[in-house]
């Protein structure tokens, strides 16, 4: 055997051993260098965490892709579906966002934030009755959420129901006196 062949045999044996080691860690999570399989960068929780980081960094598409992968691994998690919808809404893909929000709502019917998000999409589409229905559902779940009253006031302004809008802004301010946006909208209405 030549020196080159001996080196190649040694390299092949080393790589074969590394492949064997890797396969063993897949079978036995305790043997993995990370300690357990829950810290894998490919488990749903880690993917969601990475998606949150990408979202914070402004990488919407990357965040969406990571959430999509997390959803494929742990299908129908309402929080993941909600985040996917929110990102799509930020990307002005309201129809797709609405689909994810509706899926999230199917899994968590008592989530006021999902109702608020759906109402926001319907409001943007000019479907005021549907938006109103979801804001009412949100208030039925939590009637102490100042943001819901604020959103409801904005919807009522769009619907030209100005007196009702004023009441919504006032209620938002009763709950949160420091709610600057509600105060500004109320002042616009006189």
């Amino acid at each position: 055997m030549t020196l080159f062949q001996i080196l190649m045999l040694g390299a092949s044996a080393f790589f074969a051993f590394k492949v064997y080691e890797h396969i063993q860690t897949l079978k036995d999570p305790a043997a993995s260098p990370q300690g357990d399989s829950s810290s894998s960068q490919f488990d749903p929780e880690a993917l969601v965490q990475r998606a949150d980081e990408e979202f914070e960094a402004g990488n919407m598409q990357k965040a969406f892709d990571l959430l999509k992968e997390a959803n494929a691994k742990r299908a129908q998690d309402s929080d993941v579906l909600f985040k996917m919808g929110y990102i799509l809404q930020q990307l002005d893909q309201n129809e797709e966002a609405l689909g994810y929000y509706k899926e999230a709502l199917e899994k968590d019917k008592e989530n006021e934030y999902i109702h608020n998000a759906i109402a926001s999409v319907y409001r943007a589409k000019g479907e005021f009755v549907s938006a109103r229905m979801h804001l009412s559902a949100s208030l039925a779940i939590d009637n102490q959420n100042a943001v819901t009253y604020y959103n409801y006031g904005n919807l009522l302004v769009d619907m030209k129901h100005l007196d009702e809008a004023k009441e919504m802004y006032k209620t938002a301010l009763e709950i949160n006196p420091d709610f600057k946006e509600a105060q500004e909208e109320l002042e616009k209405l006189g």
Side-chain angles (χ1 to χ4, degrees):
M1 247 185 192
T2 68
L3 180 59
F4 178 74
Q5 289 173 324
I6 293 173
L7 288 174
M8 290 305 293
L9 179 63
S12 296
F14 175 77
F15 286 117
F17 176 73
K18 285 299 184 186
V19 169
Y20 172 77
E21 248 185 352
H22 178 70
I23 290 170
Q24 290 305 311
T25 63
L26 293 176
K27 291 180 184 174
D28 180 12
S32 79
Q34 293 89 7
D36 66 22
S37 62
S38 67
S39 65
S40 167
Q41 64 178 337
F42 300 110
D43 73 9
E45 290 79 17
L47 290 167
V48 170
Q49 182 178 357
R50 286 178 43 214
D52 290 345
E53 291 166 3
E54 292 294 338
F55 178 82
E56 290 297 320
N59 301 323
M60 300 285 195
Q61 190 59 53
K62 177 77 173 170
F64 181 80
D65 293 342
L66 289 164
L67 289 169
K68 193 171 183 178
E69 185 176 344
N71 189 52
K73 293 179 184 232
R74 185 180 61 204
Q76 305 302 313
D77 179 277
S78 66
D79 290 335
V80 172
L81 292 166
F82 176 80
K83 289 178 180 186
M84 292 171 74
Y86 184 77
I87 288 172
L88 289 171
Q89 189 177 9
Q90 300 309 301
L91 295 171
D92 290 326
Q93 297 176 21
N94 285 335
E95 284 302 317
E96 290 178 66
L98 187 58
Y100 283 106
Y101 285 150
K102 286 180 177 180
E103 284 184 61
L105 189 60
E106 281 297 312
K107 299 297 173 191
D108 188 2
K109 294 183 188 313
E110 296 297 310
N111 188 315
E112 67 189 280
Y113 301 105
I114 297 171
H115 281 290
N116 264 297
I118 291 172
S120 174
V121 172
Y122 280 133
R123 178 178 169 228
K125 293 173 53 172
E127 296 180 27
F128 299 146
V129 173
S130 295
R132 192 171 192 165
M133 180 184 76
H134 282 282
L135 288 170
S136 294
S138 181
L139 288 175
I141 295 165
D142 180 5
N143 67 357
Q144 293 300 305
N145 186 334
V147 173
T148 304
Y149 285 101
Y150 173 75
N151 290 339
Y152 214 144
N154 292 339
L155 173 66
L156 291 167
V157 167
D158 290 349
M159 296 173 71
K160 310 288 189 242
H161 298 176
L162 304 183
D163 289 335
E164 289 178 69
K166 286 179 189 177
E167 292 306 312
M168 291 295 174
Y169 293 136
K170 287 178 185 176
T171 304
L173 288 166
E174 287 171 13
I175 295 168
N176 180 1
D178 297 327
F179 199 156
K180 186 177 84 172
E181 292 87 352
Q183 183 64 46
E184 290 170 358
E185 294 301 321
L186 184 59
E187 288 171 5
K188 286 181 192 175
L189 294 176

